[in-house]
Amino acid sequence: MQQFLLIFIVALVFSVVGTPLARRWALANGVVDAPNARKVHQEPVPLLGGAAIYLAFVVTLLILGGRQEIRQLIGILVGATFVSVVGVVDDVRGLRPAFKLLAQIAAACVLPLSGLSVKLFPIEVLNVLLTVLWTVGVTNALNLLDNMDGLSGGIAAIGAAHFVLLAAINGQFLVGALGAALLGACIGFLRYNFNPASIFMGDTGALFIGFILAALGIKLRFLGNTYVVTWMVPVVVLLLPIFDTSLVFISRLRRGKNPLTTPGKDHISHRLVALGFTRREAVLICWLAASSVGMLSVFLTQAHFAEAYTVGLALLAGFCYGIWWFERHVPTGK
């Protein structure tokens, strides 16, 4: 645990120092997010905060990460670096959604090639397909969630903190090291990204963070319990971004819109603002919700089959009710 704490502190320092430098570079080169009808900010805000998150994460791991399970570590870093580079290009020049999706699929395929995949089914090809689906899904969920100051970075920090805790309990050094580095990098970035934000992470950061969180969820193992139960743990840790993405997809499909390419203020954060909360309050409510359901993941690691699936069914019922309630009472954030 002391090693994880050291990794967290070093990544935090690198992020706190590096984020203003990334902001200065983005402003000097015109890499900014201009306001428009679907954005909540009123002035151009520099992008590329994700570059500071990426560098803080990678440099910290190169210094303190150790060399355990090096093949899987390289696979995670290669895939995450690839989607981050795609994010940089998208932030600077713009890319078509279809190309970004294909790039994410290609990056996700690196994980099984490095020996890291889901182990839920007896047929390996099904495990590989689920690995790619999970990785692309979580990567996009964090990217879609990046729609309000401090939201995606805070949710990522909460998810990373839970992965560090679970790794420490179960003796998983690689998960703990990656989680601690991501936690420090995200919290350092939030110093400048919380409302009112002076810099955004952009796709550079959102795609990178989503990929890392997806990989941590796959890598996490619980030798004291059956996989029939513990597969739920990473899903619960990341339940809020999964809920937000599901809400947006269902809402846009109901309105006859393309869920992948249609922008809009129909995320949970926008709907909370439409209900009368301030933007800060909406973000804090999302943080609280993510923390609350995330703590259930610790219980699930020790739960028996009946206990785990009782909790799982209760969460599923709340998940479905939440989508129905928002669609009925706040169909969009306008």
Side-chain angles (χ1 to χ4, degrees):
M1 195 64 182
Q2 291 180 342
Q3 182 74 1
F4 297 160
L5 179 60
L6 180 60
I7 290 173
F8 163 76
I9 293 173
V10 172
L12 175 66
V13 171
F14 278 134
S15 183
V16 168
V17 173
T19 302
L21 299 178
R23 181 179 185 275
R24 187 179 307 172
W25 192 94
L27 285 172
N29 291 273
V31 185
V32 298
D33 189 13
N36 58 42
R38 70 182 182 88
K39 303 290 180 66
V40 298
H41 57 283
Q42 304 300 318
E43 300 291 336
V45 179
L47 294 167
L48 298 185
I53 295 174
Y54 172 84
L55 290 174
F57 178 90
V58 172
V59 172
T60 299
L61 287 178
L62 290 177
I63 297 173
L64 299 171
R67 297 295 178 267
Q68 292 91 335
E69 300 175 281
I70 189 67
R71 181 185 174 194
Q72 292 185 0
L73 174 60
I74 291 174
I76 293 171
L77 291 180
V78 168
T81 299
F82 182 68
V83 295
S84 188
V85 170
V86 171
V88 171
V89 177
D90 189 46
D91 289 334
V92 175
R93 297 185 177 181
L95 292 172
R96 293 183 178 180
F99 180 84
K100 289 167 60 179
L101 180 61
L102 288 174
Q104 292 166 30
I105 293 173
C109 290
V110 174
L111 297 180
L113 292 175
S114 66
L116 182 60
S117 67
V118 173
K119 300 297 181 184
L120 189 60
F121 302 111
I123 303 174
E124 188 59 25
V125 66
L126 295 179
N127 290 324
V128 171
L129 290 174
L130 182 57
T131 298
V132 174
L133 178 63
W134 164 262
T135 305
V136 173
V138 172
T139 300
N140 275 290
L142 266 295
N143 192 26
L144 289 171
L145 195 67
D146 187 28
N147 55 66
M148 201 165 284
D149 295 353
L151 181 54
S152 191
I155 295 300
I158 291 167
H162 281 95
F163 281 131
V164 173
L165 175 62
L166 293 167
I169 293 173
N170 293 276
Q172 306 247 327
F173 179 82
L174 181 57
V175 174
L178 293 171
L182 185 61
L183 176 60
C186 286
I187 291 181
F189 170 73
L190 282 172
R191 162 68 177 79
Y192 309 95
N193 182 243
F194 192 60
N195 185 282
S198 62
I199 187 171
F200 292 160
M201 68 171 66
D203 281 10
T204 306
L207 296 177
F208 170 76
I209 288 172
F211 190 94
I212 293 295
L213 288 173
L216 292 181
I218 297 170
K219 177 59 182 172
L220 197 61
R221 294 287 185 270
F222 307 95
L223 300 180
N225 205 340
T226 173
Y227 209 77
V228 175
V229 169
T230 58
W231 70 266
M232 288 187 280
V233 173
V235 176
V236 172
V237 170
L238 300 175
L239 192 61
L240 188 129
I242 294 172
F243 174 82
D244 181 71
T245 300
S246 301
L247 174 63
V248 168
F249 267 59
I250 291 172
S251 178
R252 292 176 185 176
L253 287 173
R254 288 183 67 247
R255 289 180 281 134
K257 306 293 185 180
N258 188 325
L260 292 175
T261 60
T262 303
K265 295 182 179 180
D266 50 4
H267 292 268
I268 184 174
S269 55
H270 299 132
R271 301 185 197 222
L272 289 172
V273 171
L275 287 171
F277 295 100
T278 67
R279 292 170 190 167
R280 278 194 175 197
E281 289 170 342
V283 169
L284 291 174
I285 289 170
C286 291
W287 288 7
L288 179 61
S291 300
S292 298
V293 295
M295 287 307 298
L296 289 174
S297 64
V298 181
F299 168 76
L300 289 174
T301 63
Q302 304 297 321
H304 297 299
F305 180 89
E307 297 170 334
Y309 278 84
T310 298
V311 171
L313 288 173
L315 288 174
L316 179 61
F319 190 99
C320 295
Y321 176 78
I323 291 176
W324 173 85
W325 191 91
F326 276 114
E327 278 294 278
R328 180 179 175 83
H329 296 281
V330 198
T332 67
K334 296 181 180 179

